[in-house]
Amino acid sequence: MIMRGLTSTGDWLFGNGLQSYLTGEAAIEANIKTRVLSWIGDCYFDMFTGVDWKNRLDVGQQENLEQEVAQVILQSYGVTGINSIGFNFSGQTRLESITASITTIYSPSSTITIPNQAVGQ
């Protein structure tokens, strides 16, 4: 798998030729971050990709959010399983970050952290 790299704010990297691209485990992790931070309906060529953040950030939706994020991760290319997944909430409903330990086609255990860059803002 080859994927364009991401900046610290989640944008695609440009301007460095082939050095702007990731392969292997790093590409899988960048793909997962992109898919989880995507809002359903924002990707013009696949309107059903991403998480329904608009409805999942409402009161009483924490369990549904956790299930939906796990499903998006499992459906990502190269992911064969989730070993564990944790959601860090501040207060009762504000999502701070997501940390997942996953099994991929390249590694039996890889940890990915998705900070709250654009979720709910």
Side-chain angles (χ1 to χ4, degrees):
M1 170 177 205
I2 298 174
M3 182 167 172
R4 190 170 283 282
L6 302 175
T7 66
S8 61
T9 59
D11 290 330
W12 283 344
L13 285 174
F14 289 98
N16 292 322
L18 293 177
Q19 293 177 351
S20 293
Y21 290 89
L22 303 171
T23 59
E25 190 75 26
I28 290 174
E29 291 177 12
N31 183 42
I32 291 170
K33 286 181 182 180
T34 300
R35 295 187 75 224
V36 168
L37 292 174
S38 294
W39 292 56
I40 283 187
D42 273 356
C43 183
Y44 72 92
F45 56 85
D46 190 354
M47 299 299 282
F48 301 104
T49 287
V51 176
D52 187 8
W53 289 109
K54 182 178 177 183
N55 293 312
R56 297 299 172 242
L57 291 175
D58 203 359
V59 176
Q61 292 292 314
Q62 184 172 335
E63 186 176 323
N64 293 333
L65 171 64
E66 292 173 3
Q67 291 173 356
E68 192 167 343
V69 168
Q71 182 179 10
V72 168
I73 291 172
L74 277 174
Q75 292 173 345
S76 298
Y77 175 83
V79 176
T80 58
I82 296 178
N83 303 326
S84 66
I85 188 165
F87 294 80
N88 182 16
F89 289 92
S90 67
Q92 292 189 3
T93 59
R94 187 69 175 162
L95 179 65
E96 291 294 321
S97 65
I98 302 165
T99 303
S101 172
I102 59 173
T103 303
T104 68
I105 58 177
Y106 299 112
S107 170
S109 181
S110 177
T111 302
I112 181 169
T113 300
I114 303 167
N116 178 7
Q117 300 170 17
V119 173
Q121 298 177 3

